[in-house]
Amino acid sequence: MAGKSFFIDTTRCTACRGCQIACKNWNQNGASMTKNTGSHQNPPDLDAQTYKLVRFSESVDKNGKLAWYFFADQCRHCIEPPCKDAIEAYVEGAVIHDEKTGAVVYTDKTREANFDEVKDSCPYNIPRLSEDGRIVKCTMCFDRVSAGLLPACVKVCPTGAMNFGDREEIMAMANKRLEVVKAKFPNAQLLDADEIRTIYLVVDDPKAYHDFAIASAASGIGRKLAMRRMTKPASRALRAMLPG
Amino acid sequence: MKLTRRDFLKISGAATAGLALSGMGFDLRPVHAFSMELRTKDAKESPTICCYCAVGCGIICHTSTQTGQVVYTEGDADHPINGGSLCAKGAAAYQIAQNDRRITKVLYRAPNASEWEEKSWDWTLKEIAKRVKKSRDASFTAKNEKGLVVNRCDGIVSVGSAALDNEECWTYQAMLRALGLVYIEHQARI
Amino acid sequence: MTNHWIDIANSDCILIMGSNAAENHPISFRWVTKAQLAGTPVIHVDPRFTRTSAKADIYAPIRSGTDIAFLGGMIKYIIDNNKYFKEYIANYTNGAFIVGDKFSFKDGLFSGYDAEKRKYDQSTWAFKMEANGMPAVDKTLEDPRCVFQLLKTHYARYDLDTVSSITGTPKDDLLKVYETYAATGVPDKAGTIMYAMGWTQHTVGVQNIRCMAIIQLLLGNMGAAGGGVNALRGESNVQGSTDHGLLFHILPGYLPTPAASLQTLAEYNKKYTPTSNDPLSANWWQNRPKYVASLLKSMYGDAATPENEFCYSWLPKVEDGKTYSWLDLFDSMYQKQFSGFLCWGQNPACSGANADKNRDAMANLDWMVVVNLFENETASFWKGPGVDPKQIKTEVFFLPCAAYMEKEGSITNSGRWGQWRYKAQEPPGEALPDGDIIIELFNEIRALYKEDKEATFPDPVLNLKWDYISNGKFDAHSVAKAINGYFTKDVTIQDKQYKKGDLVPSFALLQDDGSTSSGNWLYCQSYTADGNNMARREKDDPTGLGLYSKWSWCWPVNRRIIYNRASVDLKGNPWNPKKPVIQWVVEDGKGKWTGDVPDGGWPPLQNADGTANDKSKLPFIMKPAGVASIFGNGAKDGPFPEHYEPLECPVEKNPLSAQLTNPVAAVYGTARDIIKTCDPRFPFVGTTYRVTEHWQTGVLTRWLPWLLEAEPQLFVEMSEQLARMKGINNGDMAIVESPRGKLEAVAIVTKRLQPFTVLGQEVHLVGLPWHYGWTWPPDGGDSANLLTPAVGDPNTRIPETKAFMVNVSKKEV
């Protein structure tokens, strides 16, 4: 499989939130007047101005050892993006699924889609509705990537938690790192690596990091997506005809 | 209308490769992100060093050649310490450069007043100079109680600043010591 | 930092204690992580489990204010288990020196204590001197009066049980830290310490750092790659502003501020120029007269002549024995002793300990000048909470200044790198670069002194060299050159000719006769005939150690790791051959140092055949004896660090001695200076800190929407146990109160804080960031320094803001 991928090594993330801010800086997204809700995670969730959010979760293992997990949440850029089907059920051409990189990029035409259905279609709870009616999320900085630059969140990362590159190299990097980390953390795993282009390495139950760290059974790549695929043969056939 | 990749590139003006369109009727004023590349394309790059902690990370400011304004900031990839990376604060450098809450006029608060007034630099510096001279001359100690020459100004004090450049620090301390100040302090001790 | 940021990657063990590096110096973790991936253990010792702890291999909790107990236990462990580097101690430290008979230590007090004056007579801590004027030594380290043996005796009391009962650190955790760190005592390994305000802001701040320095010397970690004592400084140019003497006690280049008793330059030089009878001691400060003369030449130009002692009499003199520190300054301001206040790029209404005292103090001024980018609590103190502007007479001038990308100049990072910054845009509106404000302000002042023939002592004002303007603007290059220094006449030094007006190539060429100027001798070489060295951007790294010697420039003389002559054995071979900072290489019978710029070019102490080389010098060239101080008889509170409780503490006794708190800590006596120890109304330990997303009082970062969104409000972190006891739920508003002030804060109830068991009792600790203030944002809260006490370390007078006592309750709605 060609294209690009992210590798997010959560063992190296210090939650400095450089990525959260660099994303806003590149995308010229603003900020909300938030409140502290008893957590350092803020804004509390992804929103129309926050495509990248560092999630903070405390966890105690059965030996009583405390861990503080950081999960730099963002769009997974699915290999088969269910959101694209959900959007294009309403408006054709509203989503660019870039062949070269694999980036899933929403256009302004997403205004015409049904946001609730799009959100439900995403197994990772990523898409958000902006005030002007567009559906928005991480673009894989595909404008930067196309110009030979790294995505803003990757470039800014001090510790090597955020990585980006050709799919094969990233998979090799992820698997190699997994082997190393497993020596200390037997439960270490890569999350949904075959389905998506944003591959997380975690050392514990993914739910200890974030409810949507792995594809949620309630939506997404499961039954619902299969249904959609069946009901949307036209768009898939059309895509196959386009030049690459 | 069916767009080919070549058509798209021509229209968007992006010097890029690899974008293929998967839909029909693609809107060409479209994705917010498309305009971003243009933001730094012709900008002038100026290296600087982050203003917060003392790691001393390199930052590149991109300045629009049209407006003279900083349009984007990012880590300096050549810098050996940070190698292009930044933390949340460093990554937010842009919002220091472009921030409508910056104070842009000299402000003056008169004794017992409830509001600031805007003033000119000329008026302000002259007024401050008068007060400095008055306080210094009134509080100047030429000799201490033991009769030793001390030549110091006991009535004016200064704090600041690790936020100044080295050249400003040096110049500032020279001014303070020429005036005879001895209460000279800054962030290093707190 | 003795070393520098990239060098952390060379370490064999990284101890992070007294700092929260991942949060407050996040890019340091680029290098911490690199070391960790290569197998280096990372240890974090902290009262809270933070983002740093989350990445550490070992985390050990510690009650705030008990670091000397913790580290003293490590000294005992190192000695008891023979983990120390004996050859290094014997040759490169004063461990072998014999201490004089007058020295003693009894039940928490060192010899020479005067209870009435709260002061020690340090002369009782002197070394025993031989007839040749050199200290008596026993290089076997066995003499019972040698420093090493006294050290062993001193810390014999710091056993695991006692230490654990003081610090609240479980014994297993203590042992794990001790074993892991002490493993760097072998010659070819080096451990590093990353500390910050968590160590300095205590009434035992200096001794916290001394204690770690002793450990680094016992283990032979000073001078080596991956070693050193590394202060993670908190402001981008706090190193530079310190170097340039914006402090009461030093002029630029660490030259002591002259005191009244030193009426002439000759007297000053006599007092501050150390001598050594040891031919092997470089005793670098013997050059001090050259640096003072050059500084005065740079300030007063042609007016400064040998005949008038370079205008030494124009320098203001402090009273002997009087301190003019931050705490003293605001104490005196509170007591109405000043009329004018210049507040440049600072926010003392939030940043100073016992901040409400500072806020009150400002009302006692006639006028103040505030220079900053955004509105802040200091500039607007007259309309702060509970203040009626009509009652405040103080005039305030707010001068808007340029941001860092709106001007040109250099700043110096923690690793001593002077780095040049360029201008990227004009300041907004009428804001001006600070340099222009300083120049223009002094021009106006000087004009008044020119006009007034009766003006008080106008000479220094009228004669200050002030020609730093090009095209009507402050010229940073012109000042940078003046700081570096010029030859003021044609001279020939060692057969080389220099012309009047040439930049001095290195501080080794500075003179005491007025033939050179230099605004700061330490920066001599920063801007030379080769150009602006601070602007260099070449990335060669021939040693592979990440020295990057052609990137920017660092003081002194571009030496990237100071005390590096201690990284080699007596023959000049690196203790760690895999990471040689410097190395003595002999080619064609001629020896030279390779690698980093050595601490002086003298040959090694021994020739290849093991005979002594009398042309050599000892490695710690800034110390008169040439060796590093395990026994530190210059500190005001004792030559060995001793555990004392914070002035506000949760315990009534100190199991190590009868002395509960530092007997010479700095205390103040106004009505605002209330200290409560073991007061049931304030039962919990409080501490303050920072988060990644804000900086200092938030004076900049609170105004940046992206950062404010991430950390919008004052919070107080507390354990689940304490929250349960107080009926506080996560996210509730809580009230935190100290004897000095009261705050409302959002409760973060977390497993990351745990109660400590101290002397058998459960002790709770809560913590708050000091980033907030009432001006912005609405509901953001106010400064945590409203709670902290204005008490200080006896050496530095830094306030004890890291350990004090508070109460916590739920805010009833």
Side-chain angles (χ1 to χ4, degrees):
Chain A
M1 186 192 316
K4 302 285 185 186
S5 286
F6 293 90
F7 170 47
I8 304 185
D9 181 352
T10 65
T11 68
R12 289 165 80 164
C13 175
T14 62
C16 76
R17 294 197 265 204
C19 56
Q20 186 174 315
I21 307 299
C23 175
K24 286 175 182 275
N25 189 11
W26 181 254
N27 290 300
Q28 291 191 293
N29 282 337
S32 314
M33 288 297 279
T34 52
K35 294 283 179 207
N36 188 314
T37 57
S39 167
H40 291 285
Q41 182 177 311
N42 228 335
D45 199 358
L46 293 171
D47 60 37
Q49 304 186 95
T50 309
Y51 304 163
K52 174 103 188 172
L53 176 74
V54 179
R55 298 182 183 277
F56 293 63
S57 311
E58 291 170 17
S59 174
V60 178
D61 74 9
K62 55 182 181 295
N63 300 320
K65 193 172 165 7
L66 176 65
W68 201 7
Y69 293 135
F70 311 127
F71 190 85
D73 197 11
Q74 64 165 82
C75 174
R76 309 302 197 275
H77 295 279
C78 297
I79 309 286
E80 296 286 345
C83 63
K84 178 174 162 60
D85 292 331
I87 291 169
E88 294 190 344
Y90 291 87
V91 46
E92 286 292 346
V95 178
I96 303 167
H97 190 187
D98 177 47
E99 199 161 283
K100 181 129 185 200
T101 59
V104 178
V105 184
Y106 294 173
T107 72
D108 288 5
K109 285 194 163 193
T110 53
R111 280 198 184 91
E112 295 160 50
N114 180 314
F115 173 67
D116 288 339
E117 284 189 20
V118 176
K119 197 176 179 194
D120 285 349
S121 78
C122 176
Y124 302 100
N125 190 27
I126 297 296
R128 294 293 184 271
L129 186 63
S130 70
E131 276 179 12
D132 63 12
R134 288 177 300 130
I135 304 174
V136 294
K137 66 164 190 70
C138 158
T139 68
M140 200 192 264
C141 281
F142 81 104
D143 47 350
R144 288 177 61 97
V145 171
S146 304
L149 302 172
L150 286 170
C153 61
V154 176
K155 192 197 163 197
V156 80
C157 179
T159 58
M162 294 294 307
N163 301 276
F164 184 81
D166 290 338
R167 172 86 185 174
E168 277 178 26
E169 286 168 24
I170 285 293
M171 286 307 295
M173 179 192 286
N175 283 311
K176 195 173 157 200
R177 178 69 183 150
L178 175 65
E179 283 313 303
V180 173
V181 171
K182 266 195 160 166
K184 195 171 165 193
F185 301 100
N187 295 330
Q189 54 184 296
L190 302 175
L191 304 183
D192 296 342
D194 296 337
E195 314 280 342
I196 54 181
R197 291 183 185 275
T198 304
I199 298 152
Y200 290 87
L201 168 63
V202 298
V203 298
D204 197 349
D205 176 0
K207 296 273 182 199
Y209 290 76
H210 172 40
D211 281 346
F212 293 93
I214 49 170
S216 155
S219 64
I221 287 176
R223 186 183 56 84
K224 219 167 173 178
L225 173 61
M227 292 291 289
R228 262 195 203 288
R229 281 181 183 159
M230 282 168 65
T231 57
K232 286 279 139 207
S235 66
R236 295 189 61 74
L238 203 64
R239 189 192 311 159
M241 288 160 54
L242 283 163
Chain B
M1 184 180 76
K2 190 166 153 183
L3 276 173
T4 65
R5 173 165 47 178
R6 181 181 298 169
D7 290 334
F8 167 71
L9 288 175
K10 205 157 72 187
I11 299 163
S12 74
T16 60
L19 279 174
L21 306 181
S22 56
M24 302 263 300
F26 182 61
D27 183 347
L28 291 172
R29 301 168 285 101
V31 185
H32 194 50
F34 278 137
S35 59
M36 293 302 145
E37 183 58 23
L38 302 176
R39 189 149 60 110
T40 54
K41 204 171 146 222
D42 298 318
K44 178 176 176 278
E45 295 183 11
S46 308
T48 185
I49 304 294
C50 183
C51 69
Y52 299 114
C53 82
V55 171
C57 295
I59 291 178
I60 299 289
C61 293
H62 296 265
T63 306
S64 161
T65 46
Q66 273 97 52
T67 64
Q69 292 297 300
V70 169
V71 291
Y72 185 59
T73 58
E74 63 180 328
D76 181 347
D78 288 330
H79 198 286
I81 295 175
N82 63 311
S85 67
L86 291 171
C87 71
K89 286 193 297 295
Y94 173 78
Q95 288 195 325
I96 290 270
Q98 300 298 331
N99 191 312
D100 58 14
R101 306 301 292 260
R102 289 273 299 272
I103 305 289
T104 57
K105 286 239 159 93
V106 175
L107 301 177
Y108 171 68
R109 186 261 176 184
N112 310 101
S114 299
E115 298 296 333
W116 292 108
E117 309 164 38
E118 290 184 357
K119 292 286 185 185
S120 73
W121 275 107
D122 188 52
W123 178 88
T124 304
L125 293 174
K126 282 190 161 59
E127 290 300 312
I128 297 171
K130 282 185 214 165
R131 282 157 186 74
V132 168
K133 181 167 185 298
K134 190 178 162 204
S135 289
R136 178 183 181 271
D137 291 359
S139 69
F140 200 80
T141 308
K143 285 186 179 176
N144 69 5
E145 287 171 3
K146 291 180 188 157
L148 297 167
V149 176
V150 291
N151 284 335
R152 69 172 183 249
C153 163
D154 283 319
I156 307 175
V157 299
S158 168
V159 302
S161 175
L164 299 177
D165 288 352
N166 281 323
E167 295 72 25
E168 294 166 340
C169 286
W170 192 88
T171 311
Y172 187 52
Q173 71 81 33
M175 172 176 93
L176 298 178
R177 293 196 159 106
L179 291 169
L181 268 67
V182 284
Y183 280 99
I184 299 172
E185 282 284 272
H186 80 279
Q187 288 95 333
R189 209 185 304 276
I190 59 170
Chain C
M1 282 175 137
T2 57
N3 295 41
H4 60 100
W5 295 104
I6 297 170
D7 184 62
I8 294 166
N10 294 320
S11 189
D12 297 299
C13 185
I14 298 170
L15 174 60
I16 305 174
M17 186 167 171
S19 87
N20 178 8
E23 296 194 40
N24 297 333
H25 300 84
I27 307 304
S28 71
F29 257 66
R30 184 165 184 235
W31 304 104
V32 172
T33 305
K34 191 178 175 200
Q36 202 174 22
L37 289 173
T40 294
V42 175
I43 304 167
H44 191 217
V45 181
D46 200 276
R48 294 182 302 144
F49 188 100
T50 67
R51 296 180 226 182
T52 302
S53 323
K55 296 294 116 177
D57 298 287
I58 300 170
Y59 165 70
I62 181 175
R63 174 169 64 94
S64 187
T66 63
D67 299 76
I68 291 172
F70 191 109
L71 297 175
M74 175 137 50
I75 293 174
K76 178 174 165 57
Y77 176 90
I78 290 166
I79 296 174
D80 288 353
N81 294 282
N82 201 19
K83 298 286 184 186
Y84 54 91
F85 187 175
K86 190 175 174 188
E87 194 181 352
Y88 187 103
I89 298 168
N91 290 293
Y92 295 164
T93 78
N94 64 14
F97 287 23
I98 311 293
V99 177
D101 295 338
K102 285 187 189 160
F103 170 75
S104 67
F105 174 78
K106 281 188 201 110
D107 206 13
L109 287 173
F110 295 91
S111 50
Y113 185 60
D114 181 334
E116 211 170 289
K117 291 186 184 154
R118 290 171 53 82
K119 214 177 157 188
Y120 281 109
D121 172 5
Q122 290 160 293
S123 71
T124 65
W125 310 338
F127 292 117
K128 184 178 169 189
M129 302 302 274
E130 301 280 21
N132 61 7
M134 287 170 38
V137 294
D138 172 22
K139 289 208 175 181
T140 68
L141 307 181
E142 280 166 16
D143 187 303
R145 291 296 288 179
C146 83
V147 166
F148 182 77
Q149 290 299 328
L150 291 174
L151 181 82
K152 187 175 172 181
T153 309
H154 189 87
Y155 292 104
R157 298 166 294 140
Y158 289 62
D159 60 84
L160 279 181
D161 286 311
T162 307
V163 170
S164 176
S165 76
I166 294 169
T167 59
T169 313
K171 279 197 282 181
D172 287 354
D173 290 341
L174 286 173
L175 258 184
K176 229 185 295 172
V177 175
Y178 294 170
E179 281 169 11
T180 309
Y181 199 76
T184 64
V186 294
D188 63 349
K189 292 215 183 304
T192 188
I193 170 65
M194 298 167 70
Y195 76 90
M197 310 315 273
W199 267 1
T200 57
Q201 288 176 334
H202 293 278
T203 45
V204 291
V206 165
Q207 297 289 8
N208 280 334
I209 292 132
R210 284 257 317 124
C211 208
M212 190 66 209
I214 290 170
I215 290 171
Q216 291 298 69
L217 293 170
L218 291 175
L219 299 172
N221 286 338
M222 294 304 296
V229 170
N230 294 304
L232 316 184
R233 305 207 67 176
E235 307 241 356
S236 59
N237 197 34
V238 73
Q239 187 62 56
S241 53
T242 305
D243 298 339
H244 293 306
L246 278 172
L247 291 163
F248 86 87
H249 71 299
I250 45 170
L251 306 174
Y254 301 90
L255 308 174
T257 304
S261 62
L262 306 170
Q263 288 282 289
T264 65
L265 179 59
E267 287 169 329
Y268 176 91
N269 282 335
K270 185 156 186 278
K271 170 150 184 181
Y272 290 120
T273 308
T275 55
S276 171
N277 293 313
D278 187 344
L280 289 178
S281 170
N283 185 24
W284 197 265
W285 278 121
Q286 68 177 293
N287 296 302
R288 196 184 309 265
K290 301 171 185 171
Y291 307 152
V292 182
S294 296
L295 167 65
L296 288 168
K297 279 299 286 179
S298 72
M299 283 179 70
Y300 293 113
D302 292 341
T305 64
E307 293 70 32
N308 65 14
E309 290 198 306
F310 309 108
C311 307
Y312 171 80
S313 66
W314 291 357
L315 282 179
K317 310 292 182 300
V318 295
E319 286 302 306
D320 292 82
K322 181 171 156 73
T323 52
Y324 298 75
S325 75
W326 177 278
L327 292 179
D328 299 291
L329 187 158
F330 282 100
D331 193 63
S332 297
M333 188 186 290
Y334 183 84
Q335 298 185 56
K336 308 187 178 178
Q337 291 183 15
F338 310 128
S339 50
F341 177 34
L342 303 171
C343 181
W344 216 292
Q346 286 217 245
N347 188 15
C350 288
S351 65
N354 200 2
D356 219 24
K357 180 180 171 187
N358 296 357
R359 294 178 185 183
D360 277 2
M362 291 172 207
N364 295 336
L365 297 161
D366 292 339
W367 56 270
M368 62 189 262
V369 176
V370 177
V371 189
N372 227 312
L373 276 72
F374 297 98
E375 191 190 352
N376 58 71
E377 293 72 21
T378 300
S380 297
F381 82 94
W382 44 272
K383 54 174 174 171
V387 183
D388 175 7
K390 291 189 193 67
Q391 306 300 317
I392 308 290
K393 62 166 173 128
T394 312
E395 277 184 295
V396 185
F397 299 87
F398 187 115
L399 312 184
C401 62
Y404 65 106
M405 67 280 280
E406 293 157 5
K407 61 186 183 183
E408 191 174 5
S410 72
I411 59 171
T412 304
N413 77 359
S414 227
R416 299 165 284 105
W417 297 16
Q419 304 194 84
W420 200 258
R421 306 199 282 200
Y422 295 87
K423 179 175 172 176
Q425 70 176 19
E426 291 296 332
E430 295 179 11
L432 286 176
D434 299 272
D436 289 284
I437 302 174
I438 295 164
I439 292 285
E440 294 301 330
L441 176 59
F442 192 67
N443 284 343
E444 295 292 348
I445 295 169
R446 177 131 80 179
L448 296 180
Y449 276 85
K450 267 187 193 149
E451 283 165 21
D452 180 3
K453 301 299 169 206
E454 309 282 295
T456 303
F457 199 56
D459 297 3
V461 179
L462 296 177
N463 287 290
L464 182 67
K465 200 165 172 296
W466 204 248
D467 52 356
Y468 309 117
I469 296 175
S470 298
N471 303 319
K473 298 271 182 200
F474 176 75
D475 181 359
H477 291 273
S478 160
V479 180
K481 289 180 199 170
I483 290 172
N484 178 86
Y486 294 102
F487 288 98
T488 61
K489 53 177 86 156
D490 296 353
V491 289
T492 303
I493 302 170
Q494 288 171 352
D495 299 334
K496 199 162 169 13
Q497 288 191 332
Y498 299 94
K499 290 227 162 337
K500 177 180 177 178
D502 285 355
L503 291 159
V504 181
S506 156
F507 59 61
L509 298 175
L510 293 176
Q511 306 295 325
D512 62 4
D513 60 0
S515 61
T516 56
S517 71
S518 174
N520 188 333
W521 69 278
L522 271 180
Y523 282 74
C524 191
Q525 198 194 62
S526 61
Y527 207 125
T528 63
D530 296 334
N532 181 357
N533 291 322
M534 295 176 285
R536 294 184 304 174
R537 286 177 67 90
E538 283 177 55
K539 287 188 74 176
D540 306 358
D541 182 25
T543 64
L545 294 177
L547 299 177
Y548 294 103
S549 301
K550 292 181 179 172
W551 182 277
S552 72
W553 175 88
C554 93
W555 68 255
V557 288
N558 208 31
R559 183 175 300 132
R560 303 280 159 150
I561 296 178
I562 54 181
Y563 309 124
N564 56 27
R565 286 173 66 100
S567 72
V568 296
D569 65 17
L570 303 188
K571 292 180 178 142
N573 301 312
W575 297 118
N576 180 359
K578 287 190 188 136
K579 292 170 186 168
V581 183
I582 58 166
Q583 189 161 11
W584 183 253
V585 180
V586 181
E587 275 169 16
D588 303 328
K590 212 173 163 237
K592 64 164 188 178
W593 292 105
T594 60
D596 195 10
V597 177
D599 261 302
W602 309 284
L605 289 161
Q606 289 182 356
N607 300 308
D609 61 5
T611 55
N613 187 333
D614 61 9
K615 292 193 181 65
S616 185
K617 298 289 176 199
L618 288 158
F620 290 86
I621 63 171
M622 304 312 285
K623 305 293 288 182
V627 293
S629 302
I630 288 177
F631 191 79
N633 47 17
K636 292 195 167 133
D637 44 358
F640 289 134
E642 172 68 3
H643 166 72
Y644 302 114
E645 287 290 327
L647 286 203
E648 276 190 350
C649 62
V651 295
E652 282 171 316
K653 67 183 246 258
N654 174 0
L656 286 167
S657 78
Q659 189 61 43
L660 184 65
T661 57
N662 190 337
V664 293
V667 290
Y668 297 84
T670 74
R672 279 289 199 175
D673 292 287
I674 311 161
I675 306 294
K676 299 279 183 200
T677 278
C678 295
D679 185 321
R681 287 172 297 172
F682 306 103
F684 311 122
V685 178
T687 192
T688 62
Y689 42 81
R690 304 194 285 130
V691 296
T692 310
E693 296 75 12
H694 285 293
W695 182 70
Q696 316 302 51
T697 66
V699 71
L700 300 176
T701 52
R702 277 187 270 136
W703 300 92
L704 311 191
W706 293 332
L707 297 175
L708 188 64
E709 177 185 54
E711 288 286 2
Q713 277 178 300
L714 178 68
F715 57 83
V716 53
E717 290 183 308
M718 65 184 77
S719 69
E720 292 173 342
Q721 294 88 328
L722 175 59
R724 249 195 318 273
M725 188 161 64
K726 290 289 179 177
I728 297 170
N729 294 311
N730 189 40
D732 283 352
M733 283 307 283
I735 292 171
V736 189
E737 200 170 352
S738 85
R740 295 156 295 275
K742 193 170 162 179
L743 281 172
E744 291 182 9
V746 178
I748 294 184
V749 178
T750 170
K751 292 180 183 2
R752 296 179 296 99
L753 268 82
Q754 294 289 333
F756 299 93
T757 305
V758 177
L759 299 173
Q761 303 287 312
E762 192 174 64
V763 171
H764 294 274
L765 177 144
V766 302
L768 312 88
W770 56 283
H771 297 304
Y772 297 94
W774 57 269
T775 58
W776 185 259
D779 307 323
D782 209 335
S783 174
N785 277 317
L786 294 172
L787 306 177
T788 56
V791 295
D793 176 277
N795 300 283
T796 60
R797 302 223 157 200
I798 199 167
E800 188 158 64
T801 53
K802 288 292 170 273
F804 51 94
M805 299 305 289
V806 297
N807 191 24
V808 181
S809 55
K810 182 174 174 167
K811 188 191 173 192
E812 300 301 337
V813 280

